[in-house]
Amino acid sequence: MIPVDPPSGLGLPSLEDIEQALALEGPDRAEIPGLYALNAERVPMLRLIGLQAVLAFAALHNTFMGVGPEWRVFLAVTLAVELYAVGSLLVLRRFFASFRRLHLGTVFVGLDLGVFTLIVWATGGARSWMWPLYLVRVADQMWIGRRRAAIMAVLGVFCYGGLLLGGSLSTGFEAATAVDLFKVASLAAFAAYMIAASGLPWNLQKRTPAARQVIVRLEAQAREISRQRARAEHASLAKSHFLARMSHELRTPLNSVVGFTNVLIKKQGANLPPRERDYLARIRENGMHLLALINDVLDIARIEEGELETHIAPIDLEHLVRDTLHQMEGRMVESKVRLSVSFPKSLTPLAADETRLRQVLINLIGNAIKFTREGWIRVEVHADPRDGTPASLSVADSGVGIEASRIHTIFDAFEQGESGYARKFSGTGLGLAISRSLCDLMSFDLSVASTEGEGSTFTVRFRPITDPEPVS
Ligand code: ADP
């Protein structure tokens, strides 16, 4: 049985002790400090003090009521009770923890009833007014549970009834009166009332097993979750470390491959037969694709590790957009697509990391070129008409568009189109994931609107430069 303490500082075990006791089975409970302190220290000490008061009261009772045995007998009883009180304290202190299976605390609570019977006998037996003493144990066991209180009540009634019966027997039933029966009945009635009224312990008693199950289950879940989280964090970190290292190791030789192939094409290209020239061009093309992939992987790894820093400063957005488009002109040479760009009349500087925003732009415009066979691409910058504060930048195209079912996944890493058209185009599937992370780092918002077969519009929404919050 687990002691359940009232919510007060009565020196009873703490909730933690109780939870620990709930989680432990049998003997191990005796090792819980709170339970040891309660059973082997506080209760025996309270018993010692309480019995002094009871003995003093018994002496007064006998004096004023003129009942009880002669003084020598009373003194002998007093001595026996003192010995019991001190003895129980010593025994519990010494042996409570070692003889865990004996439940010594409970044993002494039961023995108390015998001591009470001795005191009632020494205060006049049938004529004693100290029989309510038995109710003390019913009262304090109520905190532990209704069953314990009921056991104490039954034992108390038996002890008192037995005492009265013994007295009656010794006098040939002469002394047995209706009053005796009434006293036993009142003891039983009081005890029954106390048990019935013990709603709180009863509730606790009922709820304890359920609460125990919940606590145990929640603890197990919490342990499992933190184990899994630690495992996931470790795996994610290991992956990022691996990617960063491998990407670095791969980039160096690959740069040589691309670089020397370029040199070969430039210097020897004209002398080579067309087939070999084509081979070299393919080596360069594939090398560059691999390099782009590695760069993207490196960026993703850095972003995931939180290592990618941004340097926010006021930038000239119009200049950045024009410059980026100029840089990408090469990709448009063979394209039948019309490219247009528009800016607002007045445009104030934008707080952004120029390199990172350029990277986003290259990716968005690069995708628009890649996924638009014919038609148009429009790059538009919007600003607040009142003061020219940059509001957004959009890259729209009349290309293949994106299926509605994929629109939310295209920003995930390694997410690429399934459509035959999209598959024709090289790509890493990392560009949009990187672009969105970069926008997040600059506190911008990257979104898309698209209709399959009609085209797509990617929009970067900016924060006003006057925003007091630092951007990093
Ligand atoms: P990728 O390197 O494959 O272009 P991205 O992350 O940049 O990787 O893009 C992910 C996917 O989103 C692309 O494979 C494509 O299916 C789709 N996508 C991106 N931009 C466009 C666009 N302008 N038009 C149609 N589909 C696009």
Side-chain angles (χ1 to χ4, degrees), residues 296 363-364 367-372 397 399-402 406 410-412 414-418 422 425-433 450 455-456 458:
D296 282 355
N363 181 52
L364 296 184
N367 277 347
I369 297 170
K370 200 160 65 176
F371 294 106
T372 311
D397 64 59
V400 288
I402 302 159
R406 289 186 50 243
I410 56 166
F411 291 101
D412 297 342
F414 296 107
E415 176 61 37
Q416 283 186 299
E418 290 300 320
F425 296 89
S426 60
T428 61
L430 289 172
L432 286 179
S450 180
S456 319
F458 286 83

PDB file of all heavy atoms in Angstrom, residues 296 363-364 367-372 397 399-402 406 410-412 414-418 422 425-433 450 455-456 458, ligand 1:
ATOM      1  N   ASP A 296      25.400  23.206 -54.371  1.00  0.00           N
ATOM      2  CA  ASP A 296      24.091  23.248 -53.724  1.00  0.00           C
ATOM      3  C   ASP A 296      24.077  22.404 -52.450  1.00  0.00           C
ATOM      4  O   ASP A 296      23.560  22.810 -51.413  1.00  0.00           O
ATOM      5  CB  ASP A 296      23.002  22.736 -54.687  1.00  0.00           C
ATOM      6  CG  ASP A 296      22.639  23.804 -55.710  1.00  0.00           C
ATOM      7  OD1 ASP A 296      23.173  24.927 -55.591  1.00  0.00           O
ATOM      8  OD2 ASP A 296      21.843  23.506 -56.618  1.00  0.00           O
ATOM      9  N   ASN A 363      18.604  31.483 -59.344  1.00  0.00           N
ATOM     10  CA  ASN A 363      17.854  30.233 -59.328  1.00  0.00           C
ATOM     11  C   ASN A 363      16.458  30.418 -59.924  1.00  0.00           C
ATOM     12  O   ASN A 363      16.011  29.615 -60.758  1.00  0.00           O
ATOM     13  CB  ASN A 363      17.779  29.695 -57.899  1.00  0.00           C
ATOM     14  CG  ASN A 363      17.027  28.400 -57.858  1.00  0.00           C
ATOM     15  OD1 ASN A 363      17.338  27.473 -58.598  1.00  0.00           O
ATOM     16  ND2 ASN A 363      16.000  28.340 -57.040  1.00  0.00           N
ATOM     17  N   LEU A 364      15.775  31.509 -59.508  1.00  0.00           N
ATOM     18  CA  LEU A 364      14.407  31.718 -59.995  1.00  0.00           C
ATOM     19  C   LEU A 364      14.397  31.998 -61.503  1.00  0.00           C
ATOM     20  O   LEU A 364      13.605  31.412 -62.255  1.00  0.00           O
ATOM     21  CB  LEU A 364      13.734  32.881 -59.244  1.00  0.00           C
ATOM     22  CG  LEU A 364      13.512  32.680 -57.737  1.00  0.00           C
ATOM     23  CD1 LEU A 364      12.761  33.864 -57.141  1.00  0.00           C
ATOM     24  CD2 LEU A 364      12.748  31.387 -57.458  1.00  0.00           C
ATOM     25  N   ASN A 367      15.396  28.845 -63.409  1.00  0.00           N
ATOM     26  CA  ASN A 367      14.276  27.907 -63.523  1.00  0.00           C
ATOM     27  C   ASN A 367      13.285  28.367 -64.588  1.00  0.00           C
ATOM     28  O   ASN A 367      12.777  27.560 -65.374  1.00  0.00           O
ATOM     29  CB  ASN A 367      13.540  27.779 -62.188  1.00  0.00           C
ATOM     30  CG  ASN A 367      14.230  26.781 -61.269  1.00  0.00           C
ATOM     31  OD1 ASN A 367      15.101  26.032 -61.706  1.00  0.00           O
ATOM     32  ND2 ASN A 367      13.847  26.778 -60.007  1.00  0.00           N
ATOM     33  N   ALA A 368      13.006  29.685 -64.584  1.00  0.00           N
ATOM     34  CA  ALA A 368      12.042  30.218 -65.558  1.00  0.00           C
ATOM     35  C   ALA A 368      12.542  29.941 -66.980  1.00  0.00           C
ATOM     36  O   ALA A 368      11.776  29.505 -67.847  1.00  0.00           O
ATOM     37  CB  ALA A 368      11.845  31.713 -65.320  1.00  0.00           C
ATOM     38  N   ILE A 369      13.848  30.152 -67.193  1.00  0.00           N
ATOM     39  CA  ILE A 369      14.410  29.899 -68.533  1.00  0.00           C
ATOM     40  C   ILE A 369      14.319  28.412 -68.858  1.00  0.00           C
ATOM     41  O   ILE A 369      13.919  28.004 -69.954  1.00  0.00           O
ATOM     42  CB  ILE A 369      15.890  30.369 -68.597  1.00  0.00           C
ATOM     43  CG1 ILE A 369      15.982  31.883 -68.384  1.00  0.00           C
ATOM     44  CG2 ILE A 369      16.536  29.966 -69.910  1.00  0.00           C
ATOM     45  CD1 ILE A 369      17.397  32.407 -68.185  1.00  0.00           C
ATOM     46  N   LYS A 370      14.641  27.610 -67.825  1.00  0.00           N
ATOM     47  CA  LYS A 370      14.692  26.166 -68.024  1.00  0.00           C
ATOM     48  C   LYS A 370      13.320  25.582 -68.352  1.00  0.00           C
ATOM     49  O   LYS A 370      13.186  24.693 -69.186  1.00  0.00           O
ATOM     50  CB  LYS A 370      15.245  25.529 -66.745  1.00  0.00           C
ATOM     51  CG  LYS A 370      15.793  24.166 -66.917  1.00  0.00           C
ATOM     52  CD  LYS A 370      16.733  23.796 -65.767  1.00  0.00           C
ATOM     53  CE  LYS A 370      16.015  23.705 -64.440  1.00  0.00           C
ATOM     54  NZ  LYS A 370      16.884  23.260 -63.360  1.00  0.00           N
ATOM     55  N   PHE A 371      12.292  26.084 -67.683  1.00  0.00           N
ATOM     56  CA  PHE A 371      10.964  25.472 -67.823  1.00  0.00           C
ATOM     57  C   PHE A 371      10.033  26.218 -68.789  1.00  0.00           C
ATOM     58  O   PHE A 371       8.840  25.975 -68.797  1.00  0.00           O
ATOM     59  CB  PHE A 371      10.306  25.342 -66.449  1.00  0.00           C
ATOM     60  CG  PHE A 371      11.036  24.371 -65.550  1.00  0.00           C
ATOM     61  CD1 PHE A 371      11.817  24.820 -64.495  1.00  0.00           C
ATOM     62  CD2 PHE A 371      10.976  23.008 -65.798  1.00  0.00           C
ATOM     63  CE1 PHE A 371      12.501  23.932 -63.691  1.00  0.00           C
ATOM     64  CE2 PHE A 371      11.661  22.106 -64.988  1.00  0.00           C
ATOM     65  CZ  PHE A 371      12.432  22.571 -63.936  1.00  0.00           C
ATOM     66  N   THR A 372      10.606  27.177 -69.556  1.00  0.00           N
ATOM     67  CA  THR A 372       9.771  27.892 -70.533  1.00  0.00           C
ATOM     68  C   THR A 372      10.370  27.708 -71.922  1.00  0.00           C
ATOM     69  O   THR A 372      11.460  28.216 -72.204  1.00  0.00           O
ATOM     70  CB  THR A 372       9.702  29.406 -70.180  1.00  0.00           C
ATOM     71  OG1 THR A 372       9.394  29.528 -68.809  1.00  0.00           O
ATOM     72  CG2 THR A 372       8.653  30.128 -71.005  1.00  0.00           C
ATOM     73  N   ASP A 397       6.650  33.324 -65.567  1.00  0.00           N
ATOM     74  CA  ASP A 397       6.918  32.761 -66.888  1.00  0.00           C
ATOM     75  C   ASP A 397       5.666  32.122 -67.443  1.00  0.00           C
ATOM     76  O   ASP A 397       4.688  31.893 -66.725  1.00  0.00           O
ATOM     77  CB  ASP A 397       8.072  31.746 -66.811  1.00  0.00           C
ATOM     78  CG  ASP A 397       7.733  30.538 -65.960  1.00  0.00           C
ATOM     79  OD1 ASP A 397       6.757  29.845 -66.268  1.00  0.00           O
ATOM     80  OD2 ASP A 397       8.457  30.299 -64.961  1.00  0.00           O
ATOM     81  N   GLY A 399       5.728  29.172 -68.862  1.00  0.00           N
ATOM     82  CA  GLY A 399       6.274  27.839 -69.126  1.00  0.00           C
ATOM     83  C   GLY A 399       5.329  26.705 -68.784  1.00  0.00           C
ATOM     84  O   GLY A 399       4.108  26.859 -68.782  1.00  0.00           O
ATOM     85  N   VAL A 400       5.944  25.573 -68.430  1.00  0.00           N
ATOM     86  CA  VAL A 400       5.153  24.348 -68.208  1.00  0.00           C
ATOM     87  C   VAL A 400       4.248  24.412 -66.992  1.00  0.00           C
ATOM     88  O   VAL A 400       3.271  23.680 -66.897  1.00  0.00           O
ATOM     89  CB  VAL A 400       6.073  23.117 -68.058  1.00  0.00           C
ATOM     90  CG1 VAL A 400       6.674  22.739 -69.380  1.00  0.00           C
ATOM     91  CG2 VAL A 400       7.132  23.348 -66.990  1.00  0.00           C
ATOM     92  N   GLY A 401       4.576  25.273 -66.038  1.00  0.00           N
ATOM     93  CA  GLY A 401       3.777  25.326 -64.811  1.00  0.00           C
ATOM     94  C   GLY A 401       4.027  24.115 -63.931  1.00  0.00           C
ATOM     95  O   GLY A 401       4.813  23.218 -64.257  1.00  0.00           O
ATOM     96  N   ILE A 402       3.336  24.103 -62.812  1.00  0.00           N
ATOM     97  CA  ILE A 402       3.556  23.032 -61.826  1.00  0.00           C
ATOM     98  C   ILE A 402       2.216  22.407 -61.465  1.00  0.00           C
ATOM     99  O   ILE A 402       1.233  23.130 -61.259  1.00  0.00           O
ATOM    100  CB  ILE A 402       4.233  23.601 -60.555  1.00  0.00           C
ATOM    101  CG1 ILE A 402       5.564  24.276 -60.942  1.00  0.00           C
ATOM    102  CG2 ILE A 402       4.464  22.519 -59.516  1.00  0.00           C
ATOM    103  CD1 ILE A 402       6.056  25.261 -59.926  1.00  0.00           C
ATOM    104  N   ARG A 406       1.929  19.140 -56.535  1.00  0.00           N
ATOM    105  CA  ARG A 406       3.352  19.263 -56.199  1.00  0.00           C
ATOM    106  C   ARG A 406       3.745  20.639 -55.705  1.00  0.00           C
ATOM    107  O   ARG A 406       4.871  20.859 -55.272  1.00  0.00           O
ATOM    108  CB  ARG A 406       4.201  18.927 -57.425  1.00  0.00           C
ATOM    109  CG  ARG A 406       4.182  17.455 -57.795  1.00  0.00           C
ATOM    110  CD  ARG A 406       5.147  17.205 -58.922  1.00  0.00           C
ATOM    111  NE  ARG A 406       6.453  17.772 -58.632  1.00  0.00           N
ATOM    112  CZ  ARG A 406       7.036  18.740 -59.329  1.00  0.00           C
ATOM    113  NH1 ARG A 406       6.420  19.280 -60.354  1.00  0.00           N
ATOM    114  NH2 ARG A 406       8.229  19.173 -59.009  1.00  0.00           N
ATOM    115  N   ILE A 410       7.686  21.471 -53.897  1.00  0.00           N
ATOM    116  CA  ILE A 410       8.829  21.875 -54.727  1.00  0.00           C
ATOM    117  C   ILE A 410       9.909  22.604 -53.935  1.00  0.00           C
ATOM    118  O   ILE A 410      11.047  22.685 -54.369  1.00  0.00           O
ATOM    119  CB  ILE A 410       8.411  22.759 -55.934  1.00  0.00           C
ATOM    120  CG1 ILE A 410       7.641  23.973 -55.460  1.00  0.00           C
ATOM    121  CG2 ILE A 410       7.646  21.971 -56.969  1.00  0.00           C
ATOM    122  CD1 ILE A 410       7.511  25.037 -56.532  1.00  0.00           C
ATOM    123  N   PHE A 411       9.545  23.087 -52.724  1.00  0.00           N
ATOM    124  CA  PHE A 411      10.556  23.770 -51.913  1.00  0.00           C
ATOM    125  C   PHE A 411      11.341  22.790 -51.035  1.00  0.00           C
ATOM    126  O   PHE A 411      12.221  23.188 -50.286  1.00  0.00           O
ATOM    127  CB  PHE A 411       9.909  24.845 -51.032  1.00  0.00           C
ATOM    128  CG  PHE A 411       9.380  26.000 -51.835  1.00  0.00           C
ATOM    129  CD1 PHE A 411       8.032  26.114 -52.121  1.00  0.00           C
ATOM    130  CD2 PHE A 411      10.243  26.975 -52.315  1.00  0.00           C
ATOM    131  CE1 PHE A 411       7.550  27.175 -52.874  1.00  0.00           C
ATOM    132  CE2 PHE A 411       9.772  28.038 -53.071  1.00  0.00           C
ATOM    133  CZ  PHE A 411       8.422  28.141 -53.349  1.00  0.00           C
ATOM    134  N   ASP A 412      10.973  21.512 -51.121  1.00  0.00           N
ATOM    135  CA  ASP A 412      11.717  20.512 -50.348  1.00  0.00           C
ATOM    136  C   ASP A 412      12.994  20.140 -51.100  1.00  0.00           C
ATOM    137  O   ASP A 412      13.017  20.122 -52.338  1.00  0.00           O
ATOM    138  CB  ASP A 412      10.884  19.233 -50.153  1.00  0.00           C
ATOM    139  CG  ASP A 412       9.632  19.523 -49.331  1.00  0.00           C
ATOM    140  OD1 ASP A 412       9.614  20.571 -48.663  1.00  0.00           O
ATOM    141  OD2 ASP A 412       8.691  18.711 -49.401  1.00  0.00           O
ATOM    142  N   PHE A 414      15.822  18.187 -52.917  1.00  0.00           N
ATOM    143  CA  PHE A 414      15.834  17.085 -53.893  1.00  0.00           C
ATOM    144  C   PHE A 414      14.476  16.806 -54.518  1.00  0.00           C
ATOM    145  O   PHE A 414      14.199  15.716 -54.968  1.00  0.00           O
ATOM    146  CB  PHE A 414      16.385  15.791 -53.264  1.00  0.00           C
ATOM    147  CG  PHE A 414      17.818  15.924 -52.847  1.00  0.00           C
ATOM    148  CD1 PHE A 414      18.154  16.009 -51.509  1.00  0.00           C
ATOM    149  CD2 PHE A 414      18.826  16.008 -53.796  1.00  0.00           C
ATOM    150  CE1 PHE A 414      19.470  16.165 -51.121  1.00  0.00           C
ATOM    151  CE2 PHE A 414      20.148  16.161 -53.417  1.00  0.00           C
ATOM    152  CZ  PHE A 414      20.465  16.254 -52.081  1.00  0.00           C
ATOM    153  N   GLU A 415      13.595  17.804 -54.495  1.00  0.00           N
ATOM    154  CA  GLU A 415      12.272  17.630 -55.091  1.00  0.00           C
ATOM    155  C   GLU A 415      12.323  18.140 -56.521  1.00  0.00           C
ATOM    156  O   GLU A 415      12.613  19.296 -56.767  1.00  0.00           O
ATOM    157  CB  GLU A 415      11.231  18.408 -54.269  1.00  0.00           C
ATOM    158  CG  GLU A 415       9.834  18.396 -54.843  1.00  0.00           C
ATOM    159  CD  GLU A 415       9.246  17.001 -54.954  1.00  0.00           C
ATOM    160  OE1 GLU A 415       9.496  16.180 -54.070  1.00  0.00           O
ATOM    161  OE2 GLU A 415       8.554  16.744 -55.953  1.00  0.00           O
ATOM    162  N   GLN A 416      12.050  17.228 -57.475  1.00  0.00           N
ATOM    163  CA  GLN A 416      12.069  17.624 -58.874  1.00  0.00           C
ATOM    164  C   GLN A 416      10.797  17.181 -59.554  1.00  0.00           C
ATOM    165  O   GLN A 416      10.099  16.294 -59.076  1.00  0.00           O
ATOM    166  CB  GLN A 416      13.252  16.987 -59.589  1.00  0.00           C
ATOM    167  CG  GLN A 416      14.554  17.705 -59.271  1.00  0.00           C
ATOM    168  CD  GLN A 416      15.685  17.162 -60.094  1.00  0.00           C
ATOM    169  OE1 GLN A 416      16.004  15.995 -59.995  1.00  0.00           O
ATOM    170  NE2 GLN A 416      16.278  18.009 -60.899  1.00  0.00           N
ATOM    171  N   GLY A 417      10.544  17.818 -60.668  1.00  0.00           N
ATOM    172  CA  GLY A 417       9.315  17.504 -61.385  1.00  0.00           C
ATOM    173  C   GLY A 417       9.294  16.082 -61.920  1.00  0.00           C
ATOM    174  O   GLY A 417      10.317  15.505 -62.242  1.00  0.00           O
ATOM    175  N   GLU A 418       8.088  15.533 -61.968  1.00  0.00           N
ATOM    176  CA  GLU A 418       7.925  14.189 -62.493  1.00  0.00           C
ATOM    177  C   GLU A 418       7.535  14.225 -63.970  1.00  0.00           C
ATOM    178  O   GLU A 418       7.608  13.242 -64.671  1.00  0.00           O
ATOM    179  CB  GLU A 418       6.814  13.448 -61.718  1.00  0.00           C
ATOM    180  CG  GLU A 418       7.214  13.094 -60.281  1.00  0.00           C
ATOM    181  CD  GLU A 418       8.420  12.191 -60.238  1.00  0.00           C
ATOM    182  OE1 GLU A 418       8.521  11.273 -61.065  1.00  0.00           O
ATOM    183  OE2 GLU A 418       9.302  12.427 -59.382  1.00  0.00           O
ATOM    184  N   ALA A 422       9.736  18.398 -67.528  1.00  0.00           N
ATOM    185  CA  ALA A 422      10.669  18.829 -66.486  1.00  0.00           C
ATOM    186  C   ALA A 422      11.868  17.898 -66.403  1.00  0.00           C
ATOM    187  O   ALA A 422      12.981  18.323 -66.146  1.00  0.00           O
ATOM    188  CB  ALA A 422       9.951  18.876 -65.138  1.00  0.00           C
ATOM    189  N   PHE A 425      15.169  18.431 -68.255  1.00  0.00           N
ATOM    190  CA  PHE A 425      16.102  19.473 -67.884  1.00  0.00           C
ATOM    191  C   PHE A 425      16.952  19.076 -66.702  1.00  0.00           C
ATOM    192  O   PHE A 425      16.461  18.503 -65.730  1.00  0.00           O
ATOM    193  CB  PHE A 425      15.326  20.751 -67.549  1.00  0.00           C
ATOM    194  CG  PHE A 425      14.600  21.257 -68.750  1.00  0.00           C
ATOM    195  CD1 PHE A 425      13.318  20.816 -69.025  1.00  0.00           C
ATOM    196  CD2 PHE A 425      15.217  22.113 -69.640  1.00  0.00           C
ATOM    197  CE1 PHE A 425      12.656  21.256 -70.142  1.00  0.00           C
ATOM    198  CE2 PHE A 425      14.552  22.538 -70.765  1.00  0.00           C
ATOM    199  CZ  PHE A 425      13.277  22.117 -71.028  1.00  0.00           C
ATOM    200  N   SER A 426      18.225  19.407 -66.855  1.00  0.00           N
ATOM    201  CA  SER A 426      19.110  19.067 -65.751  1.00  0.00           C
ATOM    202  C   SER A 426      18.788  19.955 -64.558  1.00  0.00           C
ATOM    203  O   SER A 426      18.314  21.067 -64.698  1.00  0.00           O
ATOM    204  CB  SER A 426      20.564  19.287 -66.176  1.00  0.00           C
ATOM    205  OG  SER A 426      20.722  20.628 -66.525  1.00  0.00           O
ATOM    206  N   GLY A 427      19.054  19.462 -63.407  1.00  0.00           N
ATOM    207  CA  GLY A 427      18.800  20.246 -62.184  1.00  0.00           C
ATOM    208  C   GLY A 427      19.102  19.374 -60.995  1.00  0.00           C
ATOM    209  O   GLY A 427      19.197  18.156 -61.108  1.00  0.00           O
ATOM    210  N   THR A 428      19.255  20.026 -59.864  1.00  0.00           N
ATOM    211  CA  THR A 428      19.608  19.258 -58.660  1.00  0.00           C
ATOM    212  C   THR A 428      18.403  19.024 -57.762  1.00  0.00           C
ATOM    213  O   THR A 428      18.431  18.161 -56.899  1.00  0.00           O
ATOM    214  CB  THR A 428      20.665  20.033 -57.849  1.00  0.00           C
ATOM    215  OG1 THR A 428      20.081  21.279 -57.463  1.00  0.00           O
ATOM    216  CG2 THR A 428      21.909  20.266 -58.656  1.00  0.00           C
ATOM    217  N   GLY A 429      17.361  19.815 -57.947  1.00  0.00           N
ATOM    218  CA  GLY A 429      16.216  19.713 -57.035  1.00  0.00           C
ATOM    219  C   GLY A 429      16.503  20.398 -55.711  1.00  0.00           C
ATOM    220  O   GLY A 429      15.772  20.227 -54.739  1.00  0.00           O
ATOM    221  N   LEU A 430      17.593  21.165 -55.655  1.00  0.00           N
ATOM    222  CA  LEU A 430      17.962  21.836 -54.396  1.00  0.00           C
ATOM    223  C   LEU A 430      17.777  23.346 -54.466  1.00  0.00           C
ATOM    224  O   LEU A 430      17.719  24.017 -53.446  1.00  0.00           O
ATOM    225  CB  LEU A 430      19.431  21.541 -54.064  1.00  0.00           C
ATOM    226  CG  LEU A 430      19.743  20.128 -53.620  1.00  0.00           C
ATOM    227  CD1 LEU A 430      21.249  19.917 -53.514  1.00  0.00           C
ATOM    228  CD2 LEU A 430      19.090  19.845 -52.286  1.00  0.00           C
ATOM    229  N   GLY A 431      17.695  23.868 -55.696  1.00  0.00           N
ATOM    230  CA  GLY A 431      17.674  25.323 -55.880  1.00  0.00           C
ATOM    231  C   GLY A 431      16.595  26.025 -55.075  1.00  0.00           C
ATOM    232  O   GLY A 431      16.872  27.005 -54.372  1.00  0.00           O
ATOM    233  N   LEU A 432      15.362  25.531 -55.145  1.00  0.00           N
ATOM    234  CA  LEU A 432      14.270  26.209 -54.443  1.00  0.00           C
ATOM    235  C   LEU A 432      14.380  26.041 -52.928  1.00  0.00           C
ATOM    236  O   LEU A 432      14.053  26.963 -52.173  1.00  0.00           O
ATOM    237  CB  LEU A 432      12.913  25.695 -54.937  1.00  0.00           C
ATOM    238  CG  LEU A 432      12.499  26.185 -56.328  1.00  0.00           C
ATOM    239  CD1 LEU A 432      11.158  25.592 -56.731  1.00  0.00           C
ATOM    240  CD2 LEU A 432      12.431  27.714 -56.390  1.00  0.00           C
ATOM    241  N   ALA A 433      14.851  24.856 -52.504  1.00  0.00           N
ATOM    242  CA  ALA A 433      15.024  24.637 -51.059  1.00  0.00           C
ATOM    243  C   ALA A 433      16.046  25.634 -50.518  1.00  0.00           C
ATOM    244  O   ALA A 433      15.843  26.265 -49.475  1.00  0.00           O
ATOM    245  CB  ALA A 433      15.478  23.210 -50.790  1.00  0.00           C
ATOM    246  N   SER A 450       1.068  28.915 -59.487  1.00  0.00           N
ATOM    247  CA  SER A 450       1.314  28.295 -60.789  1.00  0.00           C
ATOM    248  C   SER A 450       0.096  27.520 -61.283  1.00  0.00           C
ATOM    249  O   SER A 450      -0.679  27.009 -60.481  1.00  0.00           O
ATOM    250  CB  SER A 450       2.518  27.351 -60.670  1.00  0.00           C
ATOM    251  OG  SER A 450       2.767  26.737 -61.914  1.00  0.00           O
ATOM    252  N   GLY A 455       1.982  28.402 -66.740  1.00  0.00           N
ATOM    253  CA  GLY A 455       3.147  29.145 -66.254  1.00  0.00           C
ATOM    254  C   GLY A 455       3.176  29.273 -64.748  1.00  0.00           C
ATOM    255  O   GLY A 455       2.271  28.816 -64.041  1.00  0.00           O
ATOM    256  N   SER A 456       4.255  29.901 -64.263  1.00  0.00           N
ATOM    257  CA  SER A 456       4.449  30.018 -62.807  1.00  0.00           C
ATOM    258  C   SER A 456       4.906  31.423 -62.461  1.00  0.00           C
ATOM    259  O   SER A 456       5.564  32.097 -63.268  1.00  0.00           O
ATOM    260  CB  SER A 456       5.538  29.055 -62.332  1.00  0.00           C
ATOM    261  OG  SER A 456       5.423  27.812 -62.966  1.00  0.00           O
ATOM    262  N   PHE A 458       6.985  33.150 -59.247  1.00  0.00           N
ATOM    263  CA  PHE A 458       7.650  33.050 -57.943  1.00  0.00           C
ATOM    264  C   PHE A 458       7.816  34.464 -57.401  1.00  0.00           C
ATOM    265  O   PHE A 458       8.270  35.357 -58.120  1.00  0.00           O
ATOM    266  CB  PHE A 458       9.016  32.375 -58.082  1.00  0.00           C
ATOM    267  CG  PHE A 458       8.907  30.891 -58.312  1.00  0.00           C
ATOM    268  CD1 PHE A 458       8.678  30.383 -59.585  1.00  0.00           C
ATOM    269  CD2 PHE A 458       9.010  30.003 -57.247  1.00  0.00           C
ATOM    270  CE1 PHE A 458       8.569  29.016 -59.797  1.00  0.00           C
ATOM    271  CE2 PHE A 458       8.900  28.621 -57.453  1.00  0.00           C
ATOM    272  CZ  PHE A 458       8.672  28.127 -58.723  1.00  0.00           C
TER     273      PHE A 458
HETATM  274  P1  ADP B   1      15.927  22.067 -60.065  1.00  0.00           P
HETATM  275  O1  ADP B   1      17.399  22.092 -59.941  1.00  0.00           O
HETATM  276  O2  ADP B   1      15.388  20.715 -60.411  1.00  0.00           O
HETATM  277  O3  ADP B   1      15.395  23.152 -60.910  1.00  0.00           O
HETATM  278  P2  ADP B   1      14.622  23.489 -57.981  1.00  0.00           P
HETATM  279  O4  ADP B   1      14.617  23.267 -56.503  1.00  0.00           O
HETATM  280  O5  ADP B   1      15.095  24.789 -58.447  1.00  0.00           O
HETATM  281  O6  ADP B   1      15.420  22.286 -58.580  1.00  0.00           O
HETATM  282  O7  ADP B   1      13.165  23.231 -58.498  1.00  0.00           O
HETATM  283  C1  ADP B   1      12.431  22.138 -58.025  1.00  0.00           C
HETATM  284  C2  ADP B   1      11.346  21.752 -59.017  1.00  0.00           C
HETATM  285  O8  ADP B   1      10.354  22.766 -59.066  1.00  0.00           O
HETATM  286  C3  ADP B   1      11.835  21.656 -60.430  1.00  0.00           C
HETATM  287  O9  ADP B   1      12.417  20.391 -60.701  1.00  0.00           O
HETATM  288  C4  ADP B   1      10.561  21.862 -61.200  1.00  0.00           C
HETATM  289  O10 ADP B   1       9.814  20.669 -61.240  1.00  0.00           O
HETATM  290  C5  ADP B   1       9.801  22.858 -60.351  1.00  0.00           C
HETATM  291  N1  ADP B   1      10.002  24.253 -60.845  1.00  0.00           N
HETATM  292  C6  ADP B   1      10.796  25.195 -60.359  1.00  0.00           C
HETATM  293  N2  ADP B   1      10.687  26.359 -61.035  1.00  0.00           N
HETATM  294  C7  ADP B   1       9.781  26.126 -61.998  1.00  0.00           C
HETATM  295  C8  ADP B   1       9.220  26.920 -63.051  1.00  0.00           C
HETATM  296  N3  ADP B   1       9.565  28.214 -63.238  1.00  0.00           N
HETATM  297  N4  ADP B   1       8.299  26.350 -63.867  1.00  0.00           N
HETATM  298  C9  ADP B   1       7.940  25.063 -63.682  1.00  0.00           C
HETATM  299  N5  ADP B   1       8.419  24.259 -62.720  1.00  0.00           N
HETATM  300  C10 ADP B   1       9.334  24.784 -61.889  1.00  0.00           C
END
